[in-house]
Amino acid sequence: MLLGVAKNLHHWSLIFRREFPLHRTLIERSREIYNAVRTDHLHDRYNESLHRWAFNDGQMIEFGAMEHEADKENWRGRPHDFYGFDEVTQITESQYRFVIAWCRTARQGQRCRVIATGNPPTSV
């Protein structure tokens, strides 16, 4: 869902997980969706170093992480019109509130949105 909303409804998106290695499955799924015509990753517009997709129209989808509480500072002042949280229960409330404060856009008519997803706990 987060990948579809980011690509189809937003211009500058950021999808979070608590730790970056947890993005691996989501990144591979994004390659299946965004690079459906090609079979190799050489033709992706995904930058492994920057952890982001860049498209011809200027649209961008980033993957970010906040493993430690202070990591929220890495996102200070970086506006995005879409913030997606995959497994939001792994993100602290402080991190969540801090990051979504930067949800904004300068693009006329662009909706700003935050979506937080998660699964039921696996332990009692």
Side-chain angles (χ1 to χ4, degrees), residues 14 52 60 62 74-80 83 102 104:
L14 178 54
R52 73 178 179 198
M60 184 180 60
E62 282 187 274
N74 297 335
W75 304 101
R76 177 186 292 275
R78 296 187 55 206
H80 292 81
Y83 285 101
W102 305 108
R104 64 182 187 266

Side-chain angles (χ1 to χ4, degrees), residues 3 24 26 28 37-38 61 65 73 76 79 89 91 106 119-120:
L3 295 172
R24 185 54 40 209
L26 196 59
E28 288 308 315
V37 177
R38 307 206 190 253
I61 301 170
E73 294 290 338
R76 177 186 292 275
T89 57
I91 303 290
N119 289 304

Side-chain angles (χ1 to χ4, degrees), residues 78-108:
R78 296 187 55 206
H80 292 81
D81 52 70
F82 174 64
Y83 285 101
F85 292 86
D86 190 23
E87 294 297 338
V88 71
T89 57
Q90 297 177 350
I91 303 290
T92 69
E93 182 178 353
S94 170
Q95 290 171 325
Y96 177 84
R97 288 180 181 274
F98 184 87
V99 168
I100 67 170
W102 305 108
C103 190
R104 64 182 187 266
T105 185
R107 294 176 62 86
Q108 182 85 21

Side-chain angles (χ1 to χ4, degrees), residues 9-76:
L9 300 176
H10 291 278
H11 188 73
W12 220 7
S13 302
L14 178 54
I15 299 173
F16 280 107
R17 287 294 306 255
R18 179 67 181 212
E19 299 169 8
F20 196 79
L22 299 174
H23 272 301
R24 185 54 40 209
T25 302
L26 196 59
I27 290 168
E28 288 308 315
R29 180 67 179 133
S30 74
R31 284 189 152 125
E32 292 172 9
I33 295 169
Y34 304 152
N35 188 13
V37 177
R38 307 206 190 253
T39 56
D40 62 62
H41 294 326
L42 294 176
H43 294 92
D44 283 350
R45 296 239 169 107
Y46 180 73
N47 184 308
E48 292 280 348
S49 304
L50 299 175
H51 311 296
R52 73 178 179 198
W53 283 93
F55 300 95
N56 289 338
D57 62 357
Q59 184 183 21
M60 184 180 60
I61 301 170
E62 282 187 274
F63 296 95
M66 293 183 287
E67 183 175 357
H68 306 287
E69 182 64 28
D71 291 344
K72 66 187 178 188
E73 294 290 338
N74 297 335
W75 304 101
R76 177 186 292 275

